[in-house]
């Protein structure tokens, strides 16, 4: 399955997906990395791995989100993409793009959804005093962080945890969970 990864930053989940997909029996192949931020560190990392990497700067489109997404959509279709993985993609997507990729777009979110949707998840988990945090891979729908859940991994919140320390342990689980969820999702697609 031809797969694109959408990033905005360092792209450590993207690296984990690329590494897993390099195995000959993996049912998805990373063919394109796209970023709304042309300076995203992950773009250079993807290029170094021999993967097509494109920055499509949202700032060039002003308030016209649909025009930005149309450009992304065109790049995805030109590359023959079948599955999209959002991995630290920090722009809210509008129904324009989401509806065009319905049932074909995954996201990883650093909390045990439905808890702690949105930003600053680790800080909020610690403040709430929960004993477990984690990460979730879900199918993207028009509501933020609310689509059908495919997989979760749990991490204990430790005494004296800071958001950074918790984030680091959750991130290690993300790197394991996302490739596994993509593998199962790619195998589950019928057509
Ligand atoms: C990850 O924690 C992801 O769950 C969140 O943003 C972070 C991206 O990290 N949405 P990276 O760019 O994959 O390193």
């Amino acid at each position: 399955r031809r797969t694109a990864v959408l990033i905005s930053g360092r792209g450590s989940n993207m690296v984990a997906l690329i590494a897993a997909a390099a195995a000959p029996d993996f049912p998805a192949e990373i063919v394109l990395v796209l970023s709304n931020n042309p300076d995203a560190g992950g773009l250079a990392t993807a290029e170094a791995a021999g993967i097509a990497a494109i920055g499509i700067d949202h700032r060039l489109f002003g308030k016209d989100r649909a025009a930005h997404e149309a450009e992304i959509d065109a790049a995805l279709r030109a590359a023959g993409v079948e599955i999209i993985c959002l991995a630290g993609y920090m722009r809210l997507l509008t129904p324009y793009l989401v509806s065009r990729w319905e049932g074909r777009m995954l996201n990883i979110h650093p909390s045990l959804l439905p808890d702690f949707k949105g930003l600053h998840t680790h800080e909020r988990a610690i403040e709430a005093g929960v004993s477990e945090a984690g990460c979730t891979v879900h199918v993207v729908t028009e509501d933020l962080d609310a689509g059908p859940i495919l997989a979760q991994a749990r991490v204990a919140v430790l005494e004296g945890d800071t958001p950074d320390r918790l984030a680091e342990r959750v991130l290690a689980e993300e790197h394991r969970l996302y490739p596994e969820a993509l593998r199962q999702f790619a195998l589950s697609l019928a057509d």
Side-chain angles (χ1 to χ4, degrees):
R1 294 291 184 172
R2 295 177 70 78
T3 301
V5 185
L6 266 58
I7 63 169
S8 296
R10 71 192 152 174
S12 72
N13 278 289
M14 171 206 78
V15 168
L17 292 168
I18 290 172
D25 60 342
F26 197 85
E29 180 195 358
I30 311 301
V31 296
L32 179 65
V33 173
L34 269 177
S35 179
N36 65 301
N37 168 17
D39 302 322
L43 285 178
T45 312
E47 257 170 23
I51 292 168
I54 312 177
I56 301 178
D57 191 343
H58 64 273
R59 290 167 299 194
L60 302 177
F61 298 83
K63 290 201 169 108
D64 194 349
R65 284 178 179 262
H68 180 237
E69 291 182 354
E71 194 93 3
I72 292 174
D73 189 51
L76 293 165
R77 294 190 193 276
V81 166
E82 303 172 271
I83 300 174
I84 301 171
C85 290
L86 305 182
Y89 186 75
M90 300 307 284
R91 296 285 295 169
L92 292 176
L93 293 174
T94 76
Y96 177 91
L97 196 69
V98 174
S99 65
R100 282 171 172 72
W101 291 90
E102 197 183 338
R104 294 276 174 160
M105 193 190 293
L106 310 185
N107 180 44
I108 187 152
H109 181 75
S111 80
L112 294 174
L113 291 173
D115 292 343
F116 309 117
K117 295 174 181 171
L119 296 174
H120 310 299
T121 54
H122 305 301
E123 191 178 331
R124 285 156 59 209
I126 289 171
E127 266 169 25
V130 294
S131 61
E132 277 190 319
C135 49
T136 303
V137 176
H138 66 94
V139 180
V140 174
T141 57
E142 288 176 13
D143 297 324
L144 179 71
D145 300 331
I149 290 173
L150 297 177
Q152 290 187 311
R154 311 179 93 82
V155 160
V157 178
L158 304 178
E159 191 80 28
D161 249 345
T162 62
D164 281 354
R165 286 173 51 186
L166 181 56
E168 200 178 305
R169 297 202 312 285
V170 171
L171 192 63
E173 288 303 313
E174 293 182 40
H175 296 163
R176 197 185 54 70
L177 187 72
Y178 210 173
E180 181 52 25
L182 172 60
R183 192 180 71 77
Q184 288 183 19
F185 181 77
L187 289 174
S188 76
L189 288 180
D191 53 4

